[in-house]
Amino acid sequence: MSNFKKREEEFIEANTHWEIEKLYIDLALAKGKALTPVEKKFLRGLLCGFSPAEIASKVYESRSSSTVRVYLSNGLYKYIEDLVSNQAGYSVKVKNWSRVTYLLEKAGYKKKLLTIDLDSDRLITTKQNDANSFTLKQDSHLDLDEAADVSCFYGRETELALVKKYIIQDNCRLLVLWGMAGIGKTALAVKLAQEIQENFDYVIWRSLHLAPALETILSQIIQFLSPQQQINITDKSMNLACSQLIDCLRSYRCLIFLDHVDAILDNSYENQLGNFNIPDNNYRIQNTSDYSLPHIDYHHDYENYGDLIRRIGDSQHQSCLLLTIREKPSKIVDLEGKMLSVRCLQLTGLNQAENTKIFKNNALLEFTQKDIKKITNWYAGNPLLIKLVANIIHDFFDNSIQEFLAQNTLIFTDIRVILDEQFNRLSSIEKQIMYCIAVNPDLISLQTIESQILPSLPKQLLLQGIELLRRRSLVEKQASGFSLVPVLREYIIERLIEESWKFSTEKAGSLLITHAFLEKQLKNYIQESRLNMEN
């Protein structure tokens, strides 16, 4: 068989469903000359529903789709855009291979079938596929069922542009979005998936909120990417399965999301009371006998996740794995420092204008920008906490922000639950550091913590403790020292008052005076801190 005839027979199925000859002619007019045999072949492949990677595999028996992608971007996509734009009367962009069949069907190039109505012996003209079946085909490379609803999305234009650059331009293989609970990591990731999905052959979302075994996640992803493969993963075949996934990441351009990765981190310190130490009148901690410090790492039952994430970051491929997580594990920090293909982005709070939209969407109409500024500062622009506050104002204070502000407290039940969950993961030393930063009215330097508050704590452990707190997004570093965001500061002080009360009731009655004195001091400090922040 001649090479020409062989080329003509590749993806010949396209002739059955598409007006292929008419399409050749019209695209030639848009191009200004006849399509080449290679262009015709790639066009037929797209019309058959094949991705560039699948076309490369079938035509060149290669896992690399770069040649096909270049051919499409520099040629066919442009011709199709010109053809469809001329018909529509406005500019139309292809953007991605999966949009080609949609555009050409809308332009009328899909064949119609003649069927016979047996009752009347009439010929009926019907479309080969209705819109729903086409949508199914178009979305067959997307698996986003577990992704959250982000119909209400606020701000993040800068962060969204940055992560797009990391993934699309810089070919980042591993990207980590990290930050405090409620800061909007998942929402940003879903929005990203929606906006760049057309740049990928496959887009997959998996939530680790319920801590599924890696075997389950791997089986699902490999089966989705390569349905013909028989998957039966055991402990002994785990490395082979990881290699299979990486082969798929080389063959196809994939974007995979693992959400709530903190669910598989080691939380052995959670619910551990530790040694609570009451500060003296100078806020000096007297006892620091608990010197143990954790590492932010994967739980021992989920260490294989860490191995897979490392391999995806280390290996050469054309895909990207994106993680959302509250705390950066040590192994990811090590990867980030070694190569540009691994990136980490810490998310911070929304600004005043963006939080104004949250209040408007919660039907809170009576507020001033001064009110929004105050609440934005108090809650550090954390979108989840801001939404909870808006709900509290709506449900309990008849939409009156002034009544809410008059309560003179930032911590309500739902907010307390969120902060408890993160605080309870800390070791005793980390908690002691948080206490001493919270009760100091100004930015506190490392030297002050070391010499005046935790003098018996070895400096190495102090540095490690502060670094852990920064990687948990709980402590902010500024030029002259360390601080806490206001809502976290008040939460810590409330805990301090509660712990002091428990401690005083267990001792002699005279200690109740110490507790009352401490509580008064701390509450006065909260008021002064708020006033300073507002001025």
Side-chain angles (χ1 to χ4, degrees):
M1 182 184 296
S2 68
N3 288 336
F4 176 80
K5 187 174 181 181
K6 183 179 179 181
R7 282 197 299 268
E8 287 298 305
E9 289 186 354
E10 285 176 317
F11 309 115
I12 198 170
E13 303 88 354
N15 294 306
T16 305
H17 305 293
W18 296 88
E19 301 288 353
I20 198 73
E21 294 300 330
K22 184 176 187 304
L23 194 50
Y24 288 161
I25 294 170
D26 291 350
L27 286 175
L29 292 173
K31 178 183 178 182
K33 58 182 178 180
L35 298 182
T36 67
V38 173
E39 288 173 335
K40 291 180 178 180
K41 173 169 56 181
F42 289 171
L43 173 63
R44 293 195 302 273
L46 293 173
L47 296 177
C48 288
F50 288 103
S51 70
E54 291 167 328
I55 293 172
S57 176
K58 189 173 179 66
V59 174
Y60 300 115
E61 298 182 355
S62 168
R63 292 178 174 175
S64 174
S65 60
S66 57
T67 300
V68 177
R69 289 181 184 279
V70 169
Y71 245 106
L72 294 174
S73 298
N74 294 340
L76 272 176
Y77 289 169
K78 293 181 179 179
Y79 315 148
I80 293 170
E81 287 173 351
D82 289 343
L83 173 64
V84 177
S85 296
N86 287 335
Q87 288 191 13
Y90 55 86
S91 178
V92 177
K93 297 297 181 184
V94 170
K95 296 182 181 179
N96 185 261
W97 67 270
S98 61
R99 190 164 164 79
V100 167
T101 51
Y102 171 80
L103 293 174
L104 293 179
E105 181 180 13
K106 292 296 183 184
Y109 290 97
K110 196 158 193 181
K111 287 183 177 180
K112 298 177 180 180
L113 287 179
L114 293 177
T115 58
I116 300 176
D117 185 334
L118 296 178
D119 293 330
S120 61
D121 289 333
R122 289 182 303 150
L123 290 176
I124 302 173
T125 302
T126 60
K127 286 266 185 132
Q128 177 73 20
N129 289 304
D130 60 21
N132 290 331
S133 64
F134 172 73
T135 302
L136 267 176
K137 178 61 183 173
Q138 185 183 16
D139 292 344
S140 64
H141 290 71
L142 304 179
D143 185 357
L144 300 174
D145 291 345
E146 294 185 21
D149 177 16
V150 292
S151 51
C152 293
F153 184 80
Y154 307 96
R156 299 294 186 202
E157 289 85 0
T158 301
E159 294 91 339
L160 198 55
L162 187 58
V163 292
K164 285 181 181 178
K165 176 182 179 298
Y166 286 162
I167 295 174
I168 298 173
Q169 296 180 26
D170 299 345
N171 296 315
C172 178
R173 297 193 292 260
L174 175 62
L175 176 59
V176 181
L177 299 181
W178 66 289
M180 188 178 178
I183 205 65
K185 303 176 291 296
T186 298
L188 177 61
V190 175
K191 188 68 172 177
L192 176 71
Q194 293 174 347
E195 295 200 0
I196 68 172
Q197 60 183 249
E198 292 184 345
N199 292 277
F200 292 86
D201 299 324
Y202 294 94
V203 182
I204 301 171
W205 185 286
R206 286 293 178 272
S207 172
L208 303 189
H209 180 66
L210 299 178
L214 180 60
E215 293 90 333
T216 302
I217 296 295
L218 267 179
S219 296
Q220 292 173 353
I221 294 177
I222 295 174
Q223 193 70 47
F224 185 74
L225 296 176
S226 184
Q228 71 277 10
Q229 292 196 43
Q230 297 297 318
I231 308 297
N232 183 22
I233 302 175
T234 64
D235 288 341
K236 292 182 178 180
S237 63
M238 182 65 71
N239 284 335
L240 177 60
C242 291
S243 297
Q244 284 180 303
L245 175 59
I246 291 174
D247 282 344
C248 290
L249 301 185
R250 290 176 180 142
S251 299
Y252 309 110
R253 184 153 168 76
C254 307
L255 180 59
I256 300 175
F257 295 85
L258 294 183
D259 191 27
H260 293 296
V261 177
D262 36 275
I264 61 171
L265 296 183
D266 186 6
N267 58 355
S268 57
Y269 282 83
E270 192 165 358
N271 300 321
Q272 183 191 72
L273 294 178
N275 298 327
F276 174 76
N277 300 304
I278 300 296
D280 61 20
N281 290 344
N282 294 317
Y283 302 128
R284 182 186 179 101
I285 303 296
Q286 299 297 322
N287 178 17
T288 54
S289 58
D290 185 358
Y291 281 175
S292 59
L293 267 176
H295 293 286
I296 301 177
D297 211 342
Y298 304 97
H299 188 277
H300 65 84
D301 289 334
Y302 296 93
E303 290 177 347
N304 47 16
Y305 271 98
D307 295 335
L308 174 62
I309 291 169
R310 177 190 56 77
R311 288 186 63 179
I312 290 176
D314 281 340
S315 302
Q316 293 284 343
H317 55 78
Q318 59 176 327
S319 301
C320 179
L321 172 65
L322 188 147
L323 312 177
T324 69
I325 194 166
R326 295 179 188 176
E327 309 163 348
K328 280 201 300 184
S330 304
K331 292 177 181 177
I332 288 180
V333 174
D334 294 340
L335 280 174
E336 181 187 16
K338 290 180 181 178
M339 56 191 71
L340 294 177
S341 59
V342 178
R343 302 286 179 88
C344 296
L345 178 64
Q346 182 181 14
L347 296 190
T348 55
L350 301 178
N351 61 33
Q352 182 177 332
E354 291 155 356
N355 288 319
T356 300
K357 296 176 183 177
I358 295 178
F359 274 80
K360 287 182 177 178
N361 283 347
N362 280 270
L364 297 178
L365 303 179
E366 297 182 6
F367 57 82
T368 67
Q369 283 304 308
K370 185 177 179 181
D371 296 331
I372 300 298
K373 180 180 179 181
K374 186 180 294 185
I375 290 175
T376 297
N377 289 338
W378 282 0
Y379 294 96
N382 185 302
L384 177 58
L385 301 188
I386 298 290
K387 289 175 186 176
L388 291 175
V389 168
N391 290 338
I392 290 168
I393 294 171
H394 181 273
D395 295 339
F396 295 100
F397 299 104
D398 296 325
N399 283 351
S400 173
I401 289 185
Q402 294 306 317
E403 283 193 35
F404 166 77
L405 297 176
Q407 303 305 308
N408 206 28
T409 182
L410 307 187
I411 311 300
F412 292 85
T413 303
D414 291 339
I415 294 174
R416 176 72 185 240
V417 169
I418 292 170
L419 298 179
D420 276 343
E421 182 181 351
Q422 196 147 1
F423 186 79
N424 288 338
R425 295 172 69 94
L426 305 183
S427 64
S428 180
I429 286 179
E430 291 172 281
K431 291 176 182 178
Q432 299 289 7
I433 294 172
M434 294 278 283
Y435 285 138
C436 78
I437 295 177
V439 298
N440 278 269
D442 302 314
L443 288 173
I444 183 169
S445 67
L446 183 63
Q447 291 74 19
T448 302
I449 299 175
E450 180 185 11
S451 62
Q452 298 180 22
I453 301 175
L454 297 173
S456 60
L457 182 66
K459 187 171 184 177
Q460 180 182 357
L461 287 179
L462 175 60
L463 291 171
Q464 290 177 4
I466 290 177
E467 177 59 22
L468 281 172
L469 290 170
R470 291 186 65 194
R471 280 166 47 194
R472 298 185 197 274
S473 304
L474 296 178
V475 167
E476 292 187 337
K477 174 69 171 71
Q478 299 185 33
S480 56
F482 300 94
S483 66
L484 305 177
V485 298
V487 65
L488 195 52
R489 185 186 297 275
E490 292 202 19
Y491 165 78
I492 297 296
I493 289 176
E494 283 193 11
R495 285 190 65 114
L496 201 59
I497 293 171
E498 292 167 7
E499 295 286 356
S500 174
W501 172 259
K502 292 177 186 176
F503 181 81
S504 63
T505 56
E506 294 171 0
K507 304 296 180 181
S510 60
L511 282 176
L512 291 175
I513 299 174
T514 302
H515 166 75
F517 174 75
L518 177 65
E519 180 176 2
K520 183 178 180 180
Q521 279 187 307
L522 293 175
K523 287 187 174 180
N524 286 339
Y525 163 65
I526 288 175
Q527 291 300 318
E528 292 175 6
S529 177
R530 287 186 189 174
L531 288 173
N532 291 336
M533 185 173 55
E534 293 169 14
N535 293 332

